[in-house]
């Protein structure tokens, strides 16, 4: 059984799918591991580190992709400089494990199905106790929440903590976290450690105790509908509920020095939580860090990948924040992927068992078909939106 680690070609991607420590564990289990030349460079893992762990370094990209049984990546397959898709480099029947964004970009899923690839998407790992060690969305979101607070602290023209000095007393910064998932909770904890006064909001009332346990005040909005989707994620709510939510949070946004938004819905545009009117009421010098920038942003003024100043408020729309901490991001992701490998490989042989709830949920394509109904629906919706060709 041969496992290969590809070098990421996406410009902003600095992570790698396996680190030397996890390679060594797989090699000890009798598995052959190939690593593409330079795959770990941007994560500060050298080719010699991988060789010492027992991996074989492969410089020929076509050989690595075309002769492996399982290919491990971080980012979804990309278009290469020669115009070919990385999907075309895989041999038919191979296994691909990666973030695939199948709900947001179902065309890639169709390409993988056409190639008869068994593709497992790390985004689709179910949020269950048994799958915790494989939950890459959570491990990477935690990094994003932490880094978002550091970015905000660096951009804010104030201290975060309260200080009492001979020159007077400095009041602590007021931080408002919107969304109390993994990223939001890590942001709360980090902002509190930096000495800020923290409030947090989430449409899911069940997270109230978690927010309070971290020392933040929970801003509650009572809604007359279910707010939790399958797997514990926040569910997209009605327009009436969105309006009610905005009315409640507007005052908290107005009075905050820092607002960090984290609300995302898989496969959908990010919910609009902060309107232009709210931003206009914030104090000059305030900062918004929008972790949903890649999905269109929770803030109406967000520009993905850019820092802008709007009416005196700095609005930051970072892209792929976990990649800015590639050592630990790769370490955590490699652990997630290795745990999934332990589930898939028995006695040095691949066993894709669809009676297992984790495998069944994560496997997007197999035997030439898209297995996941939500992905099929997303592809159908995309197809019907395409203009007719005369």
């Amino acid at each position: 059984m041969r496992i290969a680690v590809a070098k990421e070609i996406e410009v902003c991607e600095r992570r790698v799918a396996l680190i030397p420590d996890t390679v060594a564990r797989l090699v000890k289990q009798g598995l052959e591991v190939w690593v593409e030349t330079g795959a770990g460079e941007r994560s500060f893992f050298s080719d010699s580190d991988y060789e010492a762990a027992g991996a074989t370094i492969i410089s020929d990209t076509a050989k690595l992709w075309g002769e492996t049984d399982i290919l491990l990546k971080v980012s979804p397959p990309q278009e290469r400089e020669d115009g070919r898709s990385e999907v075309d480099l895989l041999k038919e029947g191979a296994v691909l494990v990666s973030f695939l964004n199948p709900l947001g970009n179902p065309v890639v899923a169709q390409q993988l199905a056409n190639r008869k690839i068994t593709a497992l998407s790390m985004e689709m790992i179910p949020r269950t106790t048994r799958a915790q060690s494989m939950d890459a969305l959570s491990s990477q979101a935690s990094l994003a929440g932490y880094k978002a607070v550091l970015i905000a602290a660096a951009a804010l023209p104030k201290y975060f903590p309260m200080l009492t000095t001979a020159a007077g007393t400095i009041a602590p910064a007021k931080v408002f976290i919107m969304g109390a998932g993994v990223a939001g909770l890590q942001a709360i904890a980090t902002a509190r450690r930096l000495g800020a006064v923290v409030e947090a909001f989430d449409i899911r009332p069940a997270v109230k105790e978690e927010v309070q346990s971290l020392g933040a005040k929970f801003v509650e909005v009572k809604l007359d509908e279910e707010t939790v989707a399958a797997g514990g994620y926040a569910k997209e709510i009605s327009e009436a509920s969105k309006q009610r939510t905005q009315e409640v949070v507007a005052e908290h946004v107005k009075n905050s020095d820092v607002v960090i938004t984290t609300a995302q819905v898989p496969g959908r545009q990010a919910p609009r939580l902060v309107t232009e009117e709210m931003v206009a009421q914030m104090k000059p010098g305030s900062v918004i860090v929008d972790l949903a920038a890649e999905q269109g942003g929770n803030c109406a003024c967000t520009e993905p990948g850019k820092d802008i100043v709007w009416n005196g408020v700095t609005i930051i729309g970072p892209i792929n924040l976990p990649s800015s901490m590639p050592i630990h991001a790769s370490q955590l992701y490699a652990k997630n992927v290795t745990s999934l490998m332990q589930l898939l490989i028995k006695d040095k042989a691949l066993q894709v068992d669809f009676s297992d709830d984790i495998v069944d949920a994560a496997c997007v394509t197999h035997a030439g078909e898209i297995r996941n109904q939500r992905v099929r629906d997303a592809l159908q919706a995309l197809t019907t939106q395409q203009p007719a060709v005369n």
Side-chain angles (χ1 to χ4, degrees):
M1 177 64 62
R2 179 179 295 150
I3 297 174
V5 178
K7 182 178 181 179
E8 304 296 327
I9 62 173
E10 187 174 350
V11 174
C12 65
E13 187 53 76
R14 298 172 61 194
R15 294 170 291 181
V16 65
L18 289 181
I19 65 172
D21 283 351
T22 51
V23 166
R25 292 174 200 164
L26 294 172
V27 170
K28 285 180 181 179
Q29 295 172 20
L31 302 172
E32 184 180 3
V33 180
W34 283 6
V35 176
E36 188 171 358
T37 300
E41 281 182 353
R42 287 188 285 178
S43 300
F44 304 98
F45 301 110
S46 67
D47 289 346
S48 59
D49 292 334
Y50 284 104
E51 286 182 312
T56 301
I57 304 301
I58 304 294
S59 60
D60 186 338
T61 299
K63 176 182 175 69
L64 180 127
W65 282 73
E67 297 182 17
T68 190
D69 300 303
I70 303 175
L71 188 104
L72 305 179
K73 282 186 90 278
V74 180
S75 295
Q78 307 287 317
E79 292 291 327
R80 302 184 63 84
E81 291 183 356
D82 60 8
R84 297 179 65 195
S85 169
E86 287 183 320
V87 173
D88 297 330
L89 298 177
L90 286 164
K91 70 179 181 182
E92 287 195 359
V95 175
L96 173 66
V97 178
S98 177
F99 283 124
L100 294 174
N101 189 23
L103 298 176
N105 186 13
V107 172
V108 172
Q110 185 61 67
Q111 293 172 345
L112 291 165
N114 293 343
R115 194 75 176 164
K116 296 181 173 60
I117 304 300
T118 296
L120 290 101
S121 177
M122 296 303 290
E123 294 101 326
M124 306 297 279
I125 297 289
R127 181 165 281 182
T128 61
T129 301
R130 180 167 165 262
Q132 278 184 341
S133 64
M134 309 169 206
D135 186 359
L137 272 185
S138 291
S139 72
Q140 303 303 297
S142 179
L143 291 158
Y146 165 81
K147 192 60 177 285
V149 175
L150 300 188
I151 290 172
L156 186 70
K158 295 182 177 182
Y159 278 120
F160 256 45
M162 182 179 75
L163 293 176
T164 302
T165 72
T169 299
I170 302 296
K174 296 179 180 179
V175 177
F176 186 38
I177 312 293
M178 303 184 75
V182 175
L185 293 173
Q186 184 60 253
I188 291 168
T190 305
R192 288 284 296 142
R193 283 195 291 267
L194 290 179
V197 173
V198 183
E199 295 182 321
F201 159 77
D202 197 289
I203 60 173
R204 298 165 297 174
V207 302
K208 179 177 180 178
E209 290 186 6
E210 292 182 87
V211 167
Q212 292 175 330
S213 71
L214 293 172
K217 177 184 176 183
F218 185 67
V219 176
E220 192 167 3
V221 180
K222 297 187 182 298
L223 301 176
D224 297 326
E225 63 177 285
E226 180 57 54
T227 58
V228 182
Y233 295 97
K235 181 180 179 181
E236 187 170 21
I237 56 177
S238 66
E239 289 301 320
S241 292
K242 290 178 183 178
Q243 180 63 35
R244 169 63 180 153
T245 297
Q246 289 179 354
E247 291 172 356
V248 173
V249 304
E251 194 67 19
H252 297 273
V253 171
K254 174 184 175 181
N255 294 325
S256 296
D257 298 301
V258 169
V259 175
I260 296 175
T261 66
T262 70
Q264 300 182 54
V265 179
R268 303 284 186 90
Q269 185 168 340
R272 188 55 47 83
L273 302 179
V274 181
T275 64
E276 288 187 1
E277 291 76 15
M278 293 183 195
V279 178
Q281 294 182 45
M282 294 180 73
K283 298 182 293 290
S286 300
V287 175
I288 297 173
V289 179
D290 191 341
L291 292 185
E294 290 180 80
Q295 286 192 344
N298 296 139
C299 175
C301 305
T302 298
E303 294 187 25
K306 295 182 179 181
D307 299 358
I308 66 169
V309 178
W310 195 91
N311 200 41
V313 177
T314 299
I315 302 161
I316 302 170
I319 299 294
N320 195 3
L321 263 188
S323 185
S324 68
M325 294 177 287
I327 293 178
H328 283 153
S330 297
Q331 177 182 324
L332 295 174
Y333 183 76
K335 170 63 176 175
N336 298 143
V337 170
T338 303
S339 296
L340 182 59
M341 291 299 98
Q342 308 301 326
L343 183 66
L344 293 172
I345 300 173
K346 305 295 183 184
D347 299 322
K348 301 180 186 179
L350 179 69
Q351 297 182 15
V352 183
D353 179 10
F354 294 121
S355 66
D356 186 290
D357 64 307
I358 298 175
V359 176
D360 184 57
C363 188
V364 176
T365 66
H366 179 70
E369 296 181 349
I370 296 178
R371 296 191 68 257
N372 188 284
Q373 183 60 50
R374 293 167 65 200
V375 178
R376 288 197 294 268
D377 291 344
L379 183 64
Q380 178 63 33
L382 185 65
T383 301
T384 57
Q385 291 171 9
Q386 297 296 325
V389 178
N390 295 324

